[in-house]
Amino acid sequence: MEIASKKNIAIVEDSAHALGTQYKGKHVGQRGTSIYSFHPIKNITTGEGGMICSDDRTLLDCARRLRFHGLGVNAFDRKIQGRDPNAEVLEPGYKYNLTDISAALGISQLVRINAFILKRTELAMLYRKLLTEIPEINPLHDPPYSIKHAWHLFIVRVDTDKTGMSRDDFMIRLKEKNIGTGLHFRAVHLHKYYMNSMEMRRGMLPDTEWNSDRICSLPLFPDMTPDDVNDVVNAIKEVLKKG
Ligand SMILES: Cc1ncc(COP(=O)(O)O)c(C=O)c1O
């Protein structure tokens, strides 16, 4: 941020996971431009869609225009604000407007965000406590500065040396015990498309690759109970015993 303000560089934050996250006491997205995702697995959802927040008026006006055919006004403006029905295309745009139904869902979800995060935090802290008994499973650490985590995901690293089992096998074995896990996310540069089109290869980003090979997201959603977290951790213990 400091470098950006000195050099007058615009920063666009990928805040897809970060609704409710605070960094050094401030909400992310309070400054500059941030984009949030309201995809169904995120902390709040509108079914699909998201939100752009920015302190750049020109950028926001442009986004508003482009999301609805590049028209100077949208259907809501024309109906409610009694504007001329002859809306005009100011530039070629898209049909990216959020539906009213999605927006209604989003508004009802937004008022619950703090309760959702509180519940996620309690469950995440319970995971952290119970996982201290399993040295093969390493949760992520808090950074050395003040944060409020939104706990969209609970990611752990599977110590493949200690388990003698690959992360993928670990996930399959948990699935056999009816515990679904996720993989967020494989290193981008190792996807076939980027390897083929940009000559990316294994070895270019060793730390990213190390994590990419070991990460696994454990189940975490506000309707889970502490017993559910216990069930997941017990299933992990059983899987590792078998391994
Ligand atoms: C880090 C990150 N950025 C961007 C996106 C894209 O969000 P959307 O699916 O709402 O376009 C996602 C979706 O999961 C994400 O995890």
Side-chain angles (χ1 to χ4, degrees):
M1 280 288 185
E2 265 170 43
I3 297 172
S5 12
K6 266 189 217 145
K7 305 267 178 192
N8 205 19
I9 299 169
I11 290 193
V12 179
E13 287 173 321
D14 180 347
S15 302
H17 294 194
L19 191 72
T21 300
Q22 291 183 21
Y23 169 71
K24 296 185 179 169
K26 288 200 172 126
H27 275 286
V28 300
Q30 236 171 297
R31 237 174 83 183
T33 300
S34 283
I35 305 177
Y36 299 87
S37 169
F38 297 153
H39 173 269
I41 70 157
K42 297 299 185 328
N43 280 9
I44 71 164
T45 186
T46 54
E48 271 287 2
M51 174 171 74
I52 299 181
C53 293
S54 181
D55 51 17
D56 181 342
R57 278 268 139 217
T58 316
L59 178 71
L60 285 181
D61 285 346
C62 178
R64 285 200 177 98
R65 214 164 42 238
L66 289 177
R67 79 175 164 192
F68 196 65
H69 310 301
L71 291 170
V73 290
N74 62 30
F76 176 84
D77 289 335
R78 276 183 278 149
K79 196 156 172 238
I80 303 296
Q81 302 187 22
R83 294 205 182 128
D84 185 346
N86 291 300
E88 188 147 18
V89 170
L90 303 179
E91 61 186 307
Y94 308 92
K95 187 74 170 70
Y96 285 173
N97 56 306
L98 199 67
T99 67
D100 286 353
I101 296 167
S102 299
L105 178 57
I107 288 167
S108 70
Q109 289 259 294
L110 190 57
V111 293
R112 300 169 68 194
I113 182 70
N114 289 336
F116 288 154
I117 292 178
L118 193 61
K119 192 69 203 299
R120 284 173 177 275
T121 306
E122 283 167 10
L123 297 167
M125 293 308 111
L126 181 58
Y127 265 130
R128 274 190 173 170
K129 184 167 156 240
L130 298 176
L131 288 172
T132 55
E133 294 168 18
I134 314 181
E136 298 93 333
I137 302 297
N138 302 313
L140 302 182
H141 303 291
D142 285 334
Y145 43 80
S146 109
I147 52 152
K148 181 181 167 194
H149 203 308
W151 289 110
H152 161 51
L153 296 172
F154 190 88
I155 296 176
V156 296
R157 277 84 46 93
V158 182
D159 188 328
T160 47
D161 294 332
K162 281 191 189 143
T163 57
M165 189 191 299
S166 73
R167 180 270 322 281
D168 293 351
D169 284 343
F170 174 76
M171 290 173 74
I172 291 169
R173 300 224 184 141
L174 277 177
K175 186 74 194 156
E176 287 164 2
K177 296 195 169 298
N178 209 23
I179 305 292
T181 52
L183 181 40
H184 306 95
F185 297 93
R186 286 178 54 198
V188 173
H189 69 293
L190 299 184
H191 284 249
K192 207 182 276 177
Y193 171 78
Y194 298 104
M195 291 186 89
N196 291 340
S197 64
M198 297 182 188
E199 295 180 17
M200 300 282 173
R201 60 185 189 282
R202 193 169 268 279
M204 281 178 151
L205 296 167
D207 291 343
T208 304
E209 290 157 20
W210 189 93
N211 280 286
S212 175
D213 292 341
R214 289 166 180 78
I215 48 171
C216 170
S217 304
L218 301 183
L220 180 67
F221 49 92
D223 277 347
M224 274 179 89
T225 64
D227 279 349
D228 294 331
V229 174
N230 264 297
D231 286 348
V232 175
V233 174
N234 286 335
I236 293 175
K237 285 180 182 166
E238 281 175 36
V239 160
L240 294 179
K241 232 188 280 165
K242 235 168 77 179

